[in-house]
Amino acid sequence: MMWSGPVGIALCVAGALLAPPAAGAQPGASDAGGVTFTKDVAPILQRSCQVCHRPGQMAPMSLLTYEETRPWARAIRERVVRREMPPWHLDRTVGIREYVNDRSLTDEEIDTVVRWVDFGAPRGDPADLPPPAVFAPDDAWYIGTPDLIVTMEEALVVAAQGPDTFVNVHVPTGLTEDRYIRAIEVHPGDRRVVHHVNTFAVQEPETPGDNGLAGFGNVALPGEVWLKETSIGNSGDIYPEGTGRLLRAGAVIRFNIHYHPVGEATTDRTSVAFRFYPRGEKPDKALVTRFITARPLDIPAGARDVRHDGYWTLPQPAQIVHFRPHMHYRGQGMRLEAVLPDGRVELLTSVPRYDVNWQLTYTYKDPPVFPAGTVMHMTSYHDNSTANRNNPDPTMWTGSGSRTIDEMAIAHTDWLFLSDAEYRRIAAARATRQQ
Ligand code: HEC
């Protein structure tokens, strides 16, 4: 192996931790600053990649063994350095830092991968290999035995080849009474082709006034409550004790599914499953969805950094649980901040690398609380230039609409409303924790 360019980069990235090589050293395959597949890289792949990169799942290749991983070394380096893999698109250096479902690699883990690749991706001592990671079988319910499973009535055919498709499928729940959801889980029918699923309940929204979507687009949408986003490795949510989400009698489920062909024709029937609170029992707190939107959108052909703003004023004190940016092909980035009644501005989350292929939900580990009158401010950016590789046509102006070639700028947010006393108690406890 040549002692050439990339090695310098590796040393530089590794920083002070890595001693410079002794003068005249002859680095060989075992000299990757000591970094090997079996000892250092396999544990990272097990923790952060294999949930998707194994047979039968959506990712294009398996990363279980050295033999499977080695040919992808360069591509792996590139994707992890750009923080495109694992998918997690927020800016880790600003706003709230801790999320329940954070999949991202630490800077040290990225350094390890870079060093391993730049030193020739050596295997290392087989005795260092950790035992294989164990994954639950695809048909196991993480949430426990469901009370209700709603499955697509007809199997959709996914062709062997062709572009990715986004479909909406509506399925009645058959519920005859209101129930509070305790836990929810989505199971794709064929995990190889289901890239991503969003589920919504089409029902009367529970927020005072509308949920932010009234009159949206050219159709008056009925109320919708966002239930769950699922990408691989994120199958079930059990809500915290005492909190739940109302699913109304007669609710219809809307599955919004992103299919990706895998070279073999197949069919899919995706399901969503629920565990409920006992009949007649109302949890102390109900999760409430609010869509903070900007419209009309005006996105000139070829333009980048096209900004729009949306606002929602909290009618009472509240705690935010989830934030999910939603845009279409020209989506570039979204920020969510809170403008407090005293004028202070707090940035919650900035997602500068939005990618329509991954509509991730960011779940706050220590969810912040805000007083009544706080203005939640969503800022969206669209990229209609050729720099956006998802852009179907940079020569076209686009505006608001609900077709996939139209645009949206929606912050899906989930809230627990609080009394003044609850607000003061939680705010004080958070302030103590953060000192
Ligand atoms: C949530 C699922 C998921 C996780 C976790 C994940 N990947 Fe991926 N990965 C995918 C999917 C799906 C694709 C193909 C679509 C795309 O490129 O975005 C992909 C593509 C890739 C590619 C590009 C393959 C090509 O065809 O060029 C590389 C390299 C990669 N992943 C490496 C990794 C590594 C390394 C990790 C862990 C550090 C990781 N991925 C974690 C789902 C995942």
Side-chain angles (χ1 to χ4, degrees):
M1 196 189 102
M2 294 294 292
W3 188 240
S4 58
V7 172
I9 294 170
L11 293 175
C12 169
V13 173
L17 290 174
L18 189 65
Q26 289 295 311
S30 60
D31 264 315
V35 176
T36 68
F37 180 84
T38 53
K39 180 161 60 66
D40 307 287
V41 175
I44 298 175
L45 300 182
Q46 288 189 352
R47 231 180 1 257
S48 306
C49 317
Q50 292 175 0
V51 64
C52 302
H53 287 273
R54 64 194 158 100
Q57 307 295 319
M58 226 309 285
M61 72 287 191
S62 169
L63 296 177
L64 291 182
T65 65
Y66 178 72
E67 284 71 21
E68 288 168 329
T69 307
R70 181 64 186 82
W72 293 96
R74 286 273 142 210
I76 289 171
R77 182 192 195 283
E78 201 180 304
R79 294 290 192 116
V80 303
V81 166
R82 294 212 302 253
R83 288 197 172 279
E84 290 172 1
M85 283 287 149
W88 187 257
H89 302 138
L90 56 73
D91 180 346
R92 300 164 88 250
T93 65
V94 298
I96 294 175
R97 309 297 164 92
E98 294 197 312
Y99 297 81
V100 172
N101 53 341
D102 189 347
R103 295 199 184 97
S104 62
L105 299 187
T106 63
D107 292 342
E108 289 72 29
E109 289 173 319
I110 294 177
D111 287 353
T112 300
V113 171
V114 167
R115 250 149 71 197
W116 176 66
V117 176
D118 288 348
F119 281 85
R123 179 198 297 267
D125 184 347
D128 290 338
L129 199 63
V134 180
F135 297 97
D138 285 349
D139 57 359
W141 293 108
Y142 165 80
I143 60 170
T145 309
D147 297 313
L148 174 69
I149 302 177
V150 180
T151 302
M152 282 162 49
E153 287 162 333
E154 284 169 33
L156 282 188
V157 175
V158 184
Q161 311 284 346
D164 285 20
T165 48
F166 296 81
V167 301
N168 284 305
V169 179
H170 289 83
V171 186
T173 56
L175 265 193
T176 53
E177 59 191 321
D178 290 0
R179 295 296 293 270
Y180 280 91
I181 303 169
R182 175 85 184 81
I184 178 168
E185 181 161 353
V186 172
H187 278 188
D190 185 337
R191 287 171 196 259
R192 296 169 309 160
V193 293
V194 175
H195 184 286
H196 210 101
V197 185
N198 274 286
T199 47
F200 300 81
V202 183
Q203 63 182 17
E204 279 301 303
E206 37 336 28
T207 24
D210 72 81
N211 64 355
L213 279 191
F216 196 80
N218 34 19
V219 213
L221 286 182
E224 270 202 344
V225 173
W226 162 47
L227 293 175
K228 176 151 177 58
E229 161 264 345
T230 303
S231 48
I232 330 146
N234 165 20
S235 67
D237 284 348
I238 301 172
Y239 298 140
E241 196 56 47
T243 60
R245 199 198 280 283
L246 176 61
L247 191 62
R248 290 191 193 273
V252 170
I253 301 299
R254 172 165 73 96
F255 291 97
N256 173 249
I257 309 181
H258 171 180
Y259 287 116
H260 176 77
V262 284
E264 185 191 316
T266 183
T267 58
D268 175 64
R269 284 179 74 195
T270 287
S271 306
V272 58
F274 302 95
R275 266 184 49 223
F276 294 125
Y277 279 90
R279 206 165 249 115
E281 186 177 322
K282 193 172 174 216
D284 296 343
K285 291 265 171 260
L287 271 173
V288 167
T289 295
R290 178 73 200 197
F291 300 89
I292 305 170
T293 67
R295 62 197 145 137
L297 301 173
D298 175 9
I299 305 167
R304 250 183 91 76
D305 300 318
V306 183
R307 173 176 171 164
H308 295 88
D309 296 85
Y311 304 90
W312 178 49
T313 304
L314 296 185
Q316 72 183 81
Q319 180 168 43
I320 184 168
V321 181
H322 304 120
F323 166 47
R324 188 179 86 95
H326 175 70
M327 310 163 89
H328 291 169
Y329 294 115
R330 275 89 166 184
Q332 177 185 339
M334 189 179 285
R335 289 155 50 88
L336 183 65
E337 57 190 22
V339 184
L340 295 152
D342 63 11
R344 275 180 304 134
V345 177
E346 257 179 51
L347 173 64
L348 280 77
T349 305
S350 171
V351 179
R353 297 184 304 277
Y354 178 83
D355 182 343
V356 66
N357 293 308
W358 294 102
Q359 300 183 21
L360 304 177
T361 305
Y362 301 101
T363 304
Y364 299 108
K365 197 172 218 165
D366 188 4
V369 291
F370 302 105
T374 299
V375 178
M376 299 308 297
H377 175 196
M378 181 278 294
T379 311
S380 67
Y381 296 90
H382 287 87
D383 180 352
N384 199 5
S385 77
T386 49
N388 173 1
R389 65 188 164 129
N390 294 321
N391 193 348
D393 187 354
T395 66
M396 280 280 290
W397 174 93
T398 51
S400 311
S402 44
R403 300 171 306 171
T404 51
I405 57 159
D406 300 323
E407 271 308 323
M408 288 195 174
I410 303 182
H412 283 190
T413 55
D414 264 346
W415 297 86
L416 299 171
F417 285 127
L418 308 172
S419 67
D420 288 331
E422 285 169 329
Y423 165 72
R424 282 193 299 272
R425 184 171 49 74
I426 300 172
R430 287 188 90 249
T432 316
R433 272 198 297 282
Q434 296 191 344
Q435 268 154 24

